[in-house]
Amino acid sequence: MKRRTKLTPSVAAVCVLCATLACATGCAGQQEGQAPAAEQSAPQQIAINQSPDKYTWYVKSYTGSNLANVGYVSLGGDLRDAYGASNVKLVPVCVDGSYVDVSSEEALEDYVVIGQNLEPNTEIRLAFELDENGEEYDNLVSSSSIDSIVLLVKRIGGSDTASFDIPLTEISPCPGPEVRYVQDYVGRNLAAAGYVSLGGDLRDAYGKGDVELVPVADDGSFIDAGDIEVMKQYRVVSQNVEPNTEISFSFDPEYGNLVESQSLQEIELRVTRIDQ
């Protein structure tokens, strides 16, 4: 027969005290270990204003979303999100300076959005093309007050702080197709700054026009702007035209989408290798 040990009151008290101390120590250690998770709590949900008409839409809240759940990959291979009859380009900028391949859904799944350069509920205004009778088309947009939204992202489980400047500058909304404002490229991977044109140079779209981006390496090395694999090795550290500088366009009176002239032709981007 198994013998039972009977605890005296003094021994029982000691055991209770030991158990209490052990629990306190364990709980404190658990809380200490969970502190970083508490600091990275889920962002507060933001109610987005409802669109009152086809002309007015509001920027969504992307912070906290997995990048693969944001928008869609267009036929042109960039990441976009629909706003009414129009769409806005989404530009992921990673805190480690690396290139985010937006054409690969598997690659997008590795990132989470931790910031955006335009506040949720920022107004987006759309204008529509007119037919020969001066009537508006319902789904043919002539211009949008916002062309792109920059999304700051990090790798899931990785650091959410950058060792270099990523300003996330708020770009002014455009009043019409004749006016655009210079984007802030600082902090972006060079390969994500724009697109490679058929002529083999790096350009970025500004409404119905575009501007050439001229990369200049800080060590003087040659950068082939037509080679995306080379550009992935660099990030932008400065630009010679300030963000929100106005670019004015004039259009052919007969062909409204054909740019006749513009006030800015190119932007010089100073870049450095990512491993520096």
Side-chain angles (χ1 to χ4, degrees), residues 110-182:
D110 293 336
Y111 298 90
V112 61
V113 181
I114 59 174
Q116 55 193 78
N117 76 318
L118 296 182
E119 290 294 324
N121 284 315
T122 296
E123 185 178 84
I124 302 176
R125 292 288 297 174
L126 305 182
F128 291 80
E129 297 283 0
L130 305 178
D131 63 19
E132 63 275 9
N133 299 317
E135 298 292 330
E136 286 185 347
Y137 290 102
D138 287 332
N139 297 313
L140 191 55
V141 175
S142 62
S143 69
S144 171
S145 62
I146 292 175
D147 290 327
S148 64
I149 302 171
V150 177
L151 303 179
L152 184 65
V153 303
K154 70 163 189 171
R155 294 183 186 274
I156 294 177
S159 173
D160 58 359
T161 57
S163 59
F164 50 89
D165 186 30
I166 305 178
L168 285 182
T169 303
E170 180 180 356
I171 302 301
S172 302
C174 304
E178 297 84 6
V179 176
R180 301 284 109 173
Y181 295 100
V182 171

Side-chain angles (χ1 to χ4, degrees), residues 258-270:
L258 183 61
V259 175
E260 280 191 332
S261 64
Q262 60 190 72
S263 60
L264 182 68
Q265 297 290 337
E266 66 178 34
I267 301 171
E268 183 180 288
L269 303 179
R270 292 278 174 173

Side-chain angles (χ1 to χ4, degrees), residues 3-85:
R3 298 181 60 186
R4 294 183 180 179
T5 303
K6 184 177 180 181
L7 298 178
T8 64
S10 58
V11 174
V14 171
C15 292
V16 171
L17 178 60
C18 292
T20 302
L21 292 174
C23 178
T25 304
C27 293
Q30 184 178 12
Q31 290 173 352
E32 182 179 356
Q34 290 176 346
E39 292 175 0
Q40 297 177 3
S41 58
Q44 183 179 1
Q45 286 188 322
I46 299 175
I48 302 302
N49 298 333
Q50 291 188 349
S51 171
D53 49 49
K54 68 176 185 178
Y55 309 100
T56 309
W57 299 85
Y58 298 95
V59 170
K60 302 172 187 177
S61 177
Y62 298 99
T63 302
S65 298
N66 184 281
L67 193 55
N69 293 330
V70 169
Y72 62 93
V73 178
S74 71
L75 293 177
D78 50 9
L79 190 62
R80 293 187 169 271
D81 202 2
Y83 282 89

Side-chain angles (χ1 to χ4, degrees), residues 183-206:
Q183 297 288 321
D184 193 341
Y185 298 97
V186 173
R188 297 192 196 185
N189 184 282
L190 181 58
Y195 64 92
V196 179
S197 71
L198 294 177
D201 50 6
L202 185 63
R203 308 189 78 85
D204 198 11
Y206 280 87

